């Protein structure tokens, strides 16, 4: 009986150990399933991470391309600004030249007006009969004083008038203040 009791005790211990082994096997199976689920989740996360890395690399390449384009555009803009600045300097220089030319023209017109005025006054003061065109400065003398009809010889009255006219005329035109503005004297008749 003692052997039966020992065997019964061993059977109980064996059953307990079998139950514990079955429990541990079930826990191990659960842990294995959890591990496999975790591995599946890890693979999914790695695939997602790989896709995100690909997307990031694509975005970085696009950004680098945009930065390169921006650099090119900035270089073009800088070159255009240099060209614009140079053109602005040319325009400013041309504007200054135009203003100087306008001032010179205004001065010449003023000088012409001054000469015409002085000639008119000098001729009137000397009692000579002559007409001064206010626009051109042309002086018209009475041609009947100079020549007989159908004659090319100057009359004595004409010579006298010229001897009076020329000193008055030249006294105005040959003043120092007008010398730089006098281009030519034309006598027609």
């Amino acid at each position: 009986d003692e052997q039966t009791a020992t065997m019964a005790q061993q059977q109980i211990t064996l059953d307990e150990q079998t139950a514990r082994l079955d429990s541990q096997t079930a826990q191990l199976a659960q842990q294995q399933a959890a591990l496999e689920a975790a591995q599946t989740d890890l693979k999914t996360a790695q695939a997602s991470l790989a896709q995100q890395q690909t997307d990031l690399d694509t975005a970085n390449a696009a950004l680098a391309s945009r930065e390169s384009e921006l650099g090119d555009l900035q270089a073009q803009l800088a070159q255009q600004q240099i060209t614009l600045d140079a053109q602005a300097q040319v325009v400013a220089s041309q504007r200054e030249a135009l203003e100087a030319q306008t001032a010179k023209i205004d001065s010449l017109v003023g000088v012409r007006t001054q000469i015409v005025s002085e000639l008119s006054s000098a001729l009137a003061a000397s009692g000579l009969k002559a007409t001064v065109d206010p626009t051109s400065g042309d002086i018209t003398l009475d041609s009947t004083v100079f020549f007989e009809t159908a004659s090319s010889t100057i009359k004595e009255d004409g010579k006298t008038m010229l001897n009076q006219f020329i000193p008055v005329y030249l006294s105005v035109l040959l003043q120092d203040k007008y010398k730089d503005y006098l281009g030519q004297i034309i006598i027609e008749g």
Side-chain angles (χ1 to χ4, degrees):
D1 252 338
E2 208 177 295
Q3 253 187 356
T4 308
T6 304
M7 271 186 68
Q9 187 60 32
Q10 285 180 346
Q11 185 62 40
I12 291 172
T13 302
L14 182 61
D15 288 342
E16 286 175 359
Q17 287 178 350
T18 300
R20 267 192 262 141
L21 184 60
D22 287 344
S23 173
Q24 287 177 351
T25 300
Q27 285 178 349
L28 186 59
Q30 285 176 348
Q31 288 175 350
Q32 184 66 30
L35 181 60
E36 288 174 1
Q39 285 178 338
T40 300
D41 289 345
L42 179 61
K43 286 180 182 178
T44 302
Q46 286 175 334
S48 176
L49 182 60
Q51 182 60 45
Q52 288 175 352
Q53 185 63 44
T54 301
D55 293 345
L56 180 61
D57 290 345
T58 302
N60 283 337
L63 179 61
S65 175
R66 294 287 182 160
E67 287 175 345
S68 175
E69 289 174 12
L70 180 61
D72 291 345
L73 289 174
Q74 286 174 333
Q76 287 176 356
L77 181 60
Q79 185 60 41
Q80 288 174 347
Q81 186 64 46
I82 290 169
T83 302
L84 183 61
D85 291 344
Q87 289 173 347
Q89 288 178 348
V90 168
V91 167
S93 174
Q94 289 174 343
R95 182 177 292 128
E96 288 175 11
L98 180 61
E99 287 172 359
Q101 191 69 21
T102 301
K104 189 174 182 180
I105 288 170
D106 289 345
S107 173
L108 288 173
V109 169
V111 168
R112 176 181 285 187
T113 303
Q114 202 171 5
I115 291 172
V116 168
S117 174
E118 283 193 39
L119 276 173
S120 295
S121 297
L123 291 171
S126 67
L128 293 170
K129 293 182 182 176
T131 307
V132 181
D133 183 320
T135 306
S136 65
D138 291 345
I139 299 173
T140 306
L141 301 172
D142 185 8
S143 63
T144 59
V145 173
F146 294 104
F147 301 99
E148 294 289 342
T149 305
S151 173
S152 62
T153 305
I154 297 177
K155 297 191 305 184
E156 283 304 315
D157 288 345
K159 288 179 184 179
T160 303
M161 183 174 184
L162 284 176
N163 285 334
Q164 291 174 348
F165 171 77
I166 290 177
V168 172
Y169 182 68
L170 293 179
S171 72
V172 173
L173 290 182
L174 297 181
Q175 292 180 43
D176 287 341
K177 63 182 177 180
Y178 298 136
K179 281 183 181 178
D180 292 338
Y181 300 101
L182 184 61
Q184 61 186 352
I185 297 173
I186 300 172
I187 299 173
E188 295 178 353

